[in-house]
Structures are given as structure tokens and as C-alpha cells.
Amino acid sequence: MDSSDALIARFLALHPKTIDLSLGRIQRLLAQLGHPERRLPPTIHVAGTNGKGSTIAFMRAILESAGLAVHVYTSPHLVRFHERIRLGRIGGGRYVDEDRLVQALRRCEEVNAGEPITVFEITTAAAILLFSEEPADVLLLEVGLGGRFDATNVIDRPAAAVVTSIGHDHAEYLGTTLEAIAGEKAGIFKRGCPAVIAPQDYLEADTTLRNAAERVGAAPILVGQQDFSVHEEGGRLVYQDEKGLLDLPRPKLVGRHQYINAGTAIAALRAAGFEQFETSAFEAGLTHAEWPGRLQRLAKGRLPEIAPEGVEIWLDGGHNADGGRVLAAAMADRSERNDAPLVIIAGMLGTKDSEAFFRNFVGLAREVIAVPIPGQIAARPAEEVAAIASSVGLTTSTKASVESALASLHDYVWEHPPRVLICGSLYLAGEVLAANGTLPE
């Protein structure tokens, strides 16, 4: 029997492009499969540039803490494709196993009968097929890219459609302006269905999202910091909307931006009708949420053993300007606790605005060590990444791998053991987790 990896590799031959935003092909395949998208549990659809995955992680943790079975679809994966499909069950869902994944992929391949379709489209159809055949209380569905023409945008009446923080990314597909990007993300809003708009950093994005929700007839429309608010107070998260106030523990996920993501998650759940939970479910959800590769502390494993004693290692897949901004803020917050110098180990794709990403760390990072991203032909060479970081005023060097970058820290005399942030790409984050032996669960 073919493995899932072999099947997915074979799917590459079905379409000349990796990404070709369109709904026609997946709609055709879903119809041939008997419309499994019409047999899904209540679905919360989530788009956005940054924060989608963290918002979903908070929602899943809250829902599971309330005793519900939760299906989850996210992308990309970090180490194994199976991470994209979590099948819900009471007490906590599990990633789809190999046998069930292979069966779903083969069914989609047989029905597709060689017709043109992208890998993301056919694998999304397989995920929807699996979700339709396994009972659950809710499906959390993350957009792959954009929203309007994304393969996940086949749900006619979502329980809620959520758009998290909007910023510049994927300009080659979504446009170069915030208005264009927000317009594509807003394509998941549906008439008569709740639209939840997270607090936005840019007025252009906020205005575009509000106008799009009103134009399509979404209802109700909940806007962050207008219809719901969230802030940190005394080390706790305070959330408030028309239904009342929640005084909750600090989110487990690290960074000030996670308060916004957690608040958006609560607003989305309430908008979708999941509002009768005990406060304890929200408390447990915030303190138990897991989202690998996003400001994840690597305290154990092979990589900490390579670095000098006392080095603090953090991993994040952030790769765009706004992702860099929140990472820099999180590292600055930690630098207030001690004087550990910040060393960045970074690998980046050629499609990303590396200059805008690195500019956030000027005056904060002691050095950037650029590394290649194994197996990614679209990755910038380490020398190019270093040159870009140098151009904005950062001290740089290059190494052949993350392991050699960590080992090189032994060559310095540090007043305090450094804090290391490995970042710049989710693909790099996946390679790091695999090398460290820290696999997502």
C-alpha cells in the first residue's frame, strides 16, 4: 500500500502550480465525493495573516476543557503531514493515523481520476471527508492562503467566520496593499453568519474588513476593541463583551500578542453559540493551549545539549514584518528580566520581506547567525540572509546549520549566557523540532 507521503508526492503531477487560488476544482471533487462539506459539525472558519493558529489553539483548548470533541484543520505542518488533521474525541483529539489518512487520500485520488487539482485542494478534500465521517461537536477550520479563493472556503454557513491580525505577506497572491489583503481574507464572511474581526494594527485593514462584513450581510459583526475588549491587568487576562467580564489567568502561549489571540478566540466561541461554558473551561483553555513552533521554549532535547550551559533557546516560525514585530516585543519583554544578550538564528524563504522582518531587531539583537533551510529550494542562501540583516545594521555571520550555529556560541566569552531565538520560517521551525526530537502531539 502506498504511504501518505508517496500519495502526496504523486499529487504534485496533477497540477503545474503548487498554489493556484480557485474554488472550481475542489468544488468539483467534493461534489463527486457526495458533498462531505455539507455533513460537517458546526464550523468556525479562521483567516488572517498572523495569529490564526494560536487563536485556533486557544479555541480548541477551551472547547476540549468544556468536554467537547473538536476536529481541527491547520496548515502548514511542521514535521509530519498528519499534524494538519486532528480528529476530535472527548478528552482530547488526536492527529489522524496513517491508515485513515491513506484511505482518505486514495478515495480522493480515485474519484478525482487524474483531473487537474493542486495538492492543497485534494488534501483539503481528504480532510473534509474525514471530518464528515467522524462525529464531533465542532470543526475549527484554518484558511490555507487568503480566504476568498482558498480551498477551505466551501462552507456555506459557518458557525462563525474569524479574521485575525492582517499584515503584509504573500503579496504575489493577495496583493501589495493592506486593503487588497484584507479584502481577500474577508472572503470567508457569509450572509447571516457571525463575523468576528480581531483587533487590527492597521486602520486600512480594519475598515476593509468591517465594510466587507457589512456588504455581504454577515450578522452579527463583532469588532475587536469595539464589541469586545481584552487586556492584561496584574498578570491576568481581562476579557469583556456585552455578555459580561471574564477575569482569567495569563495565557500559556508566550507574548503580549497572545492576549489578543486569546480574546479573539473567546469572542469567536461566544459568537458561534458556545457561550454557556463555566469560567473554569476558559481558565483551563488559556493555561493548557499548545501551539508548537510559536515562541516555543526548547528546554530539553538534543539542541540545548549542543549550546553552552545556561543558554535559553526559543523557536518561532514568524517570517513577516508583523511577525518580527511581535517576536521582538516578546524578546524585549524577557530582556527586562535579565541581561541575557539576544542571538538570532534565522533562515528565510526568498518570497519573504527579510529586510522588514530583521528591522524589528535593530538595537535588540547582539548578532544574527544566518543558516540555510534544508530541503527548501525557495530558501535564501545563508549568505543572502546575512547580507540583508547586515543592510539594516545588524551584526551577522553564517553557519551551515542550526546545530553548528548553536555550537559556535562556545567560541564567545559571554557576560551572561545568551538568549537564542531561532526564527524566520515555519519550515525551519519544523526542521528544528525534528532535529531536537520534539515532535508535535
Side-chain angles (χ1 to χ4, degrees), residues 75-78 292-294 316-319 347 373 424-431:
S75 61
H77 59 276
L78 292 174
R294 283 73 171 183
D316 195 279
H319 52 262
I373 304 176
S425 168
L426 281 170
Y427 297 104
L428 179 64
E431 293 289 337

Side-chain angles (χ1 to χ4, degrees), residues 340-360:
L342 176 63
V343 175
I344 294 173
I345 299 176
M348 299 197 74
L349 298 183
T351 55
K352 304 303 177 184
D353 189 346
S354 301
E355 181 178 334
F357 179 81
F358 285 124
R359 198 175 290 120
N360 293 286

Side-chain angles (χ1 to χ4, degrees), residues 196 222 227-232 236-248 259-260 262-271 282 286:
V196 179
L222 303 177
D227 300 300
F228 65 92
S229 65
V230 58
H231 66 276
E232 184 270 340
R236 293 178 65 81
L237 181 150
V238 178
Y239 173 92
Q240 188 166 13
D241 60 17
E242 64 177 9
K243 298 179 177 68
L245 182 144
L246 292 171
D247 181 3
L248 301 170
Y259 283 82
I260 299 296
T264 303
I266 295 169
L269 291 176
R270 289 185 160 189
F282 292 104
L286 263 60

Side-chain angles (χ1 to χ4, degrees), residues 225-345:
Q225 306 302 42
Q226 174 181 302
D227 300 300
F228 65 92
S229 65
V230 58
H231 66 276
E232 184 270 340
E233 186 175 312
R236 293 178 65 81
L237 181 150
V238 178
Y239 173 92
Q240 188 166 13
D241 60 17
E242 64 177 9
K243 298 179 177 68
L245 182 144
L246 292 171
D247 181 3
L248 301 170
R250 180 197 305 272
K252 180 180 181 180
L253 301 185
V254 176
R256 282 178 272 172
H257 59 294
Q258 295 297 0
Y259 283 82
I260 299 296
N261 293 332
T264 303
I266 295 169
L269 291 176
R270 289 185 160 189
F274 299 99
E275 56 189 65
Q276 303 303 321
F277 296 155
E278 297 290 336
T279 301
S280 59
F282 292 104
E283 293 173 337
L286 263 60
T287 55
H288 289 88
E290 299 277 355
W291 192 225
R294 283 73 171 183
L295 276 176
Q296 179 179 356
R297 177 80 181 271
L298 299 183
K300 298 179 180 179
R302 194 169 74 86
L303 296 184
E305 295 174 357
I306 295 173
E309 185 176 356
V311 168
E312 188 179 299
I313 303 175
W314 293 85
L315 175 67
D316 195 279
H319 52 262
N320 54 42
D322 292 301
R325 176 174 52 79
V326 298
L327 284 178
M331 292 297 102
D333 285 345
R334 300 199 72 80
S335 70
E336 293 177 359
R337 304 180 188 183
N338 60 54
D339 295 327
L342 176 63
V343 175
I344 294 173
I345 299 176

Side-chain angles (χ1 to χ4, degrees), residues 47-80:
T49 306
N50 295 303
K52 300 188 298 296
S54 296
T55 300
I56 285 176
F58 283 122
M59 286 195 286
R60 176 173 74 86
I62 293 167
L63 289 162
E64 290 182 343
S65 296
L68 300 185
V70 187
H71 290 329
V72 184
Y73 185 60
T74 56
S75 61
H77 59 276
L78 292 174
V79 181
R80 300 178 71 226

